[in-house]
Amino acid sequence: MADGLRKGLTSYGDAGFSLFLRKAFIKAMGYSDDALNRPIVGITNTHSDYNPCHGNVPQIIEAVKRGVMLAGAMPMVFPTISIAESFAFPTSMYLRNLMAMDTEEMIRAQPMDSVVVVGGCDKTLPAQIMAAVSADLPRLSLFRWGRWWSGITRARC
């Protein structure tokens, strides 16, 4: 089974050309040949200005990227839907299922050998876990304890 950038190549009728095209586009972003030959670890990015539960996701992602690089792999961050209970319409549960489908398809569509999902609430993390399990890749789930606690204590809820 193919791995790294060779995984899930777009079919142009010639696998060599497909890999060449993929590498040409990603090399334009500054990646070296050495980096492109490493296993790829996908990392979900659920940060959103609408989602206070995921306020520090960018810092967590940077820490995960450092760990992935130290382990000899190449981290690749990709976006997914982000759900915040207080901003969700029609319901957060409806959006949780949509997020699970979105995240699963993003995992399947991108070349990655494993995935790290970062979630911060009772909707986001289950959605990402369902997606990663369905995509059948090795996975690590990171739960971040929310920034929203400070808002609750300040508001005296």
Side-chain angles (χ1 to χ4, degrees):
M1 181 174 184
D3 60 354
L5 281 183
R6 290 165 184 77
K7 187 174 184 177
L9 287 172
T10 304
S11 178
Y12 295 111
D14 180 333
F17 176 73
S18 297
L19 183 59
F20 165 78
L21 194 58
R22 182 174 277 177
K23 283 187 173 186
F25 276 102
I26 203 160
K27 277 185 165 184
M29 295 171 54
Y31 290 100
S32 68
D33 284 327
D34 178 57
L36 297 179
N37 288 324
R38 297 176 184 190
I40 298 173
V41 177
I43 304 168
T44 61
N45 183 358
T46 56
H47 180 260
S48 167
D49 289 342
Y50 283 106
N51 196 338
C53 296
H54 295 210
N56 69 344
V57 164
Q59 292 90 343
I60 293 171
I61 287 172
E62 288 305 312
V64 171
K65 285 171 65 175
R66 286 191 301 272
V68 167
M69 286 187 282
L70 287 171
M74 183 171 76
M76 296 294 283
V77 178
F78 62 97
T80 64
I81 293 173
S82 187
I83 302 169
E85 185 76 36
S86 58
F87 290 101
F89 178 82
T91 69
S92 58
M93 188 59 75
Y94 171 80
L95 294 174
R96 185 208 65 186
N97 294 337
L98 180 62
M99 181 182 189
M101 290 185 291
D102 169 67
T103 303
E104 178 181 351
E105 292 308 317
M106 289 297 289
I107 292 170
R108 289 182 187 279
Q110 311 302 320
M112 63 186 80
D113 301 297
S114 62
V115 64
V116 176
V117 297
V118 182
C121 72
D122 63 339
K123 306 299 182 297
T124 302
L125 198 58
Q128 292 187 321
I129 291 170
M130 289 188 302
V133 168
S134 292
D136 197 27
L137 280 182
R139 62 212 158 263
L140 174 66
S141 303
L142 295 180
F143 178 77
R144 49 114 16 243
W145 197 244
R147 194 180 271 178
W148 57 275
W149 278 111
S150 61
I152 288 175
T153 56
R154 277 189 237 135
R156 302 187 196 283
C157 293

